[in-house]
């Protein structure tokens, strides 16, 4: 086993706030989340991972949500949960789970009307305190919109950090697919919302999961996940009732980030003893 993995799942801009708050609450209790041997980020979690490993103090990252300076640079997104569920439900009924389904979702993403890719990239640029890949191991999950293949981006791939995070955060139908090395990529959450199975081989796995998966994991991923849960010590933090109310019905609403961060901080503080026992293994 290779040590400790911190897995940060997707959950929109509210999920970014909540994960930042949880990590800050843990840090205030003496737990250093940057001591992870690897950080695996998906969608919102890719942004949080990049922020966390940028060298910016967690207190400052937390304050960016709770005490923002000036108007937000985020773009408000209209999330029609019922329509998205219907659209994805139609894809689920006509495509086999796995790469075929992911490719169908990728085509759906490319066909959708969204803001320009450049405008969305500017949002991600503003989110990240540093545009350089951190020295610590950061893995960012994306999905090829044309083939449905998943890809884990690292500093070794020669991809700009901003582009990697933008691609992992490219919610199909909401944000534009992101062009990387001549290909278009979408949200890594199309694979699973947190991609915990990618932490295979790590003895301790701490997971922050703001949202649940829309569907059950495909069989191959479920098998890998079961192996991780069997061989590793996995501790998963999901929003409690207070955090869930703070995140609200639209996790893409920038106004939810501050309340979610506050609720996450309280939730993290309440879990310090349990996480300390895990993190000290």
């Amino acid at each position: 086993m290779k040590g400790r993995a911190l897995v940060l799942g997707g959950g929109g801009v509210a999920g970014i706030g909540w994960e930042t708050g949880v990590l800050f609450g843990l840090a205030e209790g003496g737990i250093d989340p940057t001591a992870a041997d690897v950080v695996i980020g998906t969608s919102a979690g890719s942004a949080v991972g990049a922020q966390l490993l940028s060298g910016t103090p967690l207190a400052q990252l937390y304050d960016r949500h709770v005490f923002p300076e000036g108007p937000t640079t985020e773009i408000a997104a209209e999330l029609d949960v019922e329509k998205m569920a219907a659209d994805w439900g139609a894809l689920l009924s006509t495509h086999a789970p796995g790469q075929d389904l992911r490719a169908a979702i990728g085509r759906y993403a490319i066909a959708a009307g969204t803001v320009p890719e450049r405008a969305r990239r500017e949002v991600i640029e503003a989110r990240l305190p540093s545009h350089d890949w951190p020295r610590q191991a950061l893995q960012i999950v994306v999905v090829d919109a044309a083939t449905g293949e998943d890809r884990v981006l690292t500093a070794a791939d020669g991809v700009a950090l901003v582009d990697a995070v933008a691609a992992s955060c490219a919610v199909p139908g909401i944000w534009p697919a992101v062009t990387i090395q001549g290909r278009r990529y979408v949200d890594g959450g199309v694979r699973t919302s947190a991609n915990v199975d990618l932490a295979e081989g790590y003895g301790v796995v701490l997971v922050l999961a703001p949202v649940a998966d829309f569907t059950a994991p495909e069989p191959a991923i479920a098998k890998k996940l079961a192996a991780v849960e069997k061989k590793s010590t996995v501790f998963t933090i999901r929003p409690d009732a207070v955090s869930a109310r703070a995140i609200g019905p639209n996790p893409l609403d920038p106004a939810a980030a501050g309340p979610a961060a506050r609720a996450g901080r309280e939730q993290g503080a309440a879990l310090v003893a349990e996480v300390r026992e895990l993190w000290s293994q």
Side-chain angles (χ1 to χ4, degrees):
M1 292 292 181
K2 294 178 283 189
R4 295 174 290 188
L6 175 62
V7 178
L8 302 170
V13 66
I16 293 176
W18 177 77
E19 290 185 353
T20 302
V22 171
L23 294 172
F24 184 42
L26 294 174
E28 288 181 302
I31 296 165
D32 181 9
T34 67
D37 295 285
V38 66
V39 175
I40 301 171
T42 298
S43 199
S46 70
V48 176
Q51 292 168 345
L52 176 70
L53 299 182
S54 69
T56 306
L58 263 167
Q60 185 175 330
L61 295 173
Y62 174 80
D63 285 349
R64 290 176 67 178
H65 296 292
V66 178
F67 308 110
E69 297 180 1
T72 180
T73 56
E74 297 287 339
I75 301 172
E78 292 293 333
L79 177 61
D80 187 333
V81 176
E82 291 184 1
K83 181 182 183 301
M84 179 172 283
D87 289 345
W88 285 45
L91 295 174
L92 284 166
S93 68
T94 54
H95 296 83
Q99 191 172 327
D100 182 54
L101 175 60
R102 286 185 243 149
I105 294 172
R107 291 191 294 272
Y108 165 79
I110 290 174
T114 67
V115 300
E117 192 175 335
R118 176 67 245 179
R120 178 62 175 164
R121 192 180 195 278
E122 290 173 356
V123 171
I124 305 302
E125 288 175 344
R127 277 185 190 172
L128 303 185
S130 171
H131 296 170
D132 297 323
W133 282 87
R135 295 175 63 182
Q136 293 164 268
L138 173 64
Q139 299 181 4
I140 294 177
V141 187
V142 299
V143 170
D144 189 306
T147 67
E149 293 177 287
D150 56 283
R151 183 178 177 187
V152 179
L153 297 173
T154 70
D157 288 300
V159 175
L161 179 63
V162 172
D163 291 328
V165 172
S168 194
C169 292
V171 181
I174 303 294
W175 304 125
V178 173
T179 304
I180 294 175
Q181 298 169 341
R183 303 197 64 82
R184 304 290 299 282
Y185 290 90
V186 296
D187 199 320
V190 170
R191 186 179 185 273
T192 73
S193 63
N195 295 304
V196 179
D197 64 294
L198 297 179
E200 186 175 15
Y202 288 86
V204 171
V205 182
L206 175 61
V207 183
L208 272 62
V211 299
D213 282 309
F214 184 71
T215 62
E218 57 199 66
I221 294 176
K223 184 176 180 180
K224 285 184 64 180
L225 178 58
V228 171
E229 293 173 339
K230 180 178 180 180
K231 297 177 182 179
S232 306
T233 301
V234 181
F235 187 89
T236 301
I237 304 175
R238 296 184 174 87
D240 59 16
V242 174
S243 291
R245 285 195 297 272
I247 291 171
N250 181 5
L252 303 181
D253 182 0
R262 291 188 184 93
R265 180 184 183 183
E266 294 298 320
Q267 188 175 352
L271 292 170
V272 164
E274 291 177 84
V275 176
R276 180 183 291 117
E277 182 178 356
L278 170 86
W279 215 232
S280 62
Q281 293 182 23

